[in-house]
Amino acid sequence: MALTGYTGDASLYRQLQVHECYATGAPRNLPAALLGSAAGDCLAQPAVGIDALRNPEPYFFILGAKSYGRLNTFLPRTGYEQVDQLAAAYADESELLPAGT
């Protein structure tokens, strides 16, 4: 099962306002949130929350292996947690709006 080390196909959302990290291809806030946490140990990665996955495009989130871009610390468990967090945020839609709106 290949989950990291490649660049996912971004053509699906190329016309949307998505900010990706130039080094990893992940949503720009995610690598910053993971920087230095657990020294690269994928089993000790913290849950970063949906704010790290947020983009300027309203209600658009990149989840799963593609959310980590070329970062090698992704686990399928992390993708499941991301989906759970986003589903919980949809229960309270105000959490999904960009900050300041």
Side-chain angles (χ1 to χ4, degrees):
M1 178 186 299
L3 296 174
T4 60
Y6 64 91
T7 336
D9 181 11
S11 63
L12 178 67
Y13 55 84
R14 187 55 55 202
Q15 298 300 316
L16 301 177
Q17 294 181 24
V18 176
H19 291 169
E20 295 178 336
C21 173
Y22 68 91
T24 65
R28 186 170 41 185
N29 297 332
L30 182 64
L34 295 174
L35 184 65
S37 66
D41 181 4
C42 60
L43 295 175
Q45 290 293 323
V48 294
I50 63 168
D51 285 334
L53 302 170
R54 192 176 304 279
N55 282 291
E57 190 70 35
Y59 302 104
F60 182 80
F61 296 88
I62 300 171
L63 305 176
K66 194 178 282 191
S67 72
Y68 269 56
R70 288 183 292 274
L71 292 170
N72 63 357
T73 54
F74 177 78
L75 293 173
R77 177 188 75 193
T78 304
Y80 297 136
E81 289 172 357
Q82 290 173 345
V83 171
D84 286 344
Q85 291 169 355
L86 190 60
Y90 267 104
D92 179 15
E93 194 172 334
S94 64
E95 284 187 44
L96 295 176
L97 296 174
T101 58

